[in-house]
Amino acid sequence: MSDSIDTLEPLIEAVRDGVESRGWSLSGLQKTTSYEFEGRWAGDSTRSAYLFFHRDAHDDVSVDVFLDETPRGLQGNLALVLDLRSLGDLPGVPETLEALGRRAATHLPPGYRTPVTLRLRLRGPEQGVAEADLEARLKLVLPRAALDAGASAVSALSSATVDAFDALLADPALHRLRDV
């Protein structure tokens, strides 16, 4: 009998167990099913789940999880999402993205896909660019090997990822990019 996780619900539970075991509380869970696709996905359906975790009532930091069940299998990622200082208070976009990448390389588990995203947002067209809001997303993509190994492997990887996120949040170099 295989330990492999093949459907969305056991994957949700395994990730949730791993994240909550590190003191992060589930603050939201959304499931969706999509049926209408065009092109190469015509006729397919997907089921997706979005999980949101917070700690200590801080709304400027969260762990967001995206999980997807498709005809081609399961996939997903865990992301540390945090607000940064306004654009005018940072050294610049390339330097900020480079600093986030260095921090991710230092703290996230090696050997996994760990994309880093920086989002810039104006609250409205009248807002000055220097006051633009920045959000960083540091992700770990769940590998197929963890899903094949089963719930305990996914839970352990989720715990290790959240431990890495906590280490990132404690890193003084990251503090210089945040309003903490």
Side-chain angles (χ1 to χ4, degrees), residues 2-5 143-155:
S2 171
D3 289 335
S4 177
I5 299 175
R144 183 76 235 166
L147 300 170
D148 289 344
S152 61
V154 170
S155 183

Side-chain angles (χ1 to χ4, degrees), residues 27-139:
S27 55
L29 168 62
Q30 176 184 354
K31 290 184 189 178
T32 63
T33 302
S34 302
Y35 298 101
E36 295 185 31
F37 293 100
E38 300 295 330
R40 77 179 215 194
W41 295 288
D44 283 354
S45 66
T46 63
R47 295 186 326 127
S48 303
Y50 303 87
L51 293 82
F52 306 96
F53 298 89
H54 288 84
R55 176 186 276 165
D56 302 331
H58 294 291
D59 59 357
D60 64 335
V61 176
S62 66
V63 172
D64 294 2
V65 178
F66 171 72
L67 306 172
D68 202 23
E69 177 184 323
T70 73
R72 291 168 296 286
L74 294 171
Q75 59 187 12
N77 67 68
L78 290 84
L80 175 66
V81 181
L82 53 120
D83 293 335
L84 302 179
R85 296 178 185 272
S86 64
L87 186 57
D89 293 334
L90 292 168
V93 172
E95 296 86 355
T96 300
L97 189 56
E98 183 179 9
L100 288 168
R102 281 194 310 269
R103 302 301 8 112
T106 298
H107 294 288
L108 293 179
Y112 297 95
R113 283 189 28 222
T114 54
V116 177
T117 304
L118 185 61
R119 294 182 180 179
L120 293 99
R121 178 179 44 250
L122 294 176
R123 289 183 289 274
E126 70 287 345
Q127 182 184 12
V129 171
E131 289 93 40
D133 297 323
L134 274 80
E135 175 188 271
R137 290 181 173 263
L138 299 101
K139 296 182 182 181

